[in-house]
Amino acid sequence: MTMLTRRNLVFAGAAACTVSLRPALAQSDELQAVVRAFAANAPVREGKVQIEIAPLVENGNAVPIAIRVESPMSAADHVKAIALFNERNPQREVAVFHLTPRSGRAVVSTRIRLATSQKLVAVARMSDGSHWSNTVDVIVTLAGCIEGS
């Protein structure tokens, strides 16, 4: 019969934490990979992008979301694309919106389906080649991808 020591208890706790964190880290790596792919491995800086979404969503089936980017939308300085990514839906890329100076404002809005509570990342590609982003956490109480199935 083995005796439970404090050392064994600490090792067991560390192992349990490692196992429970591994899926979350893998999902975060996948999210970072799709963001890097959109930016073509260029640096993505925080700022200029605002995601407007309720932090607590009761039903994930059709969640309204708007994304705004600070830009004069002139021929010399404008947003070329806005992409939205998620952390835990089956497909990480939600939408890519293409804009031109004739768009007038760098604002897009839509409704998305959220499978569960997760991070959302919006990335804006500017006409000078820079990329800007914003990340928000959304808590979903009723998952959108499993209701009615």
Side-chain angles (χ1 to χ4, degrees), residues 10-89:
V10 169
F11 284 134
C17 288
T18 301
V19 169
S20 66
L21 290 176
R22 185 168 284 241
L25 292 175
Q27 289 172 349
S28 182
D29 289 343
E30 291 176 23
L31 180 60
Q32 290 175 358
V34 294
V35 169
R36 270 195 312 269
F38 175 76
N41 290 323
V44 178
R45 293 178 274 182
E46 283 282 327
K48 291 190 176 186
V49 178
Q50 289 182 327
I51 301 173
E52 297 174 6
I53 189 169
L56 177 63
V57 175
E58 187 173 319
N59 186 339
N61 274 323
V63 181
I65 184 170
I67 303 167
R68 298 179 186 278
V69 182
E70 294 174 24
S71 171
M73 293 303 284
S74 64
D77 182 9
H78 62 275
V79 178
K80 292 179 79 174
I82 299 172
L84 180 63
F85 304 98
N86 68 74
E87 182 181 34
R88 300 182 116 187
N89 278 11

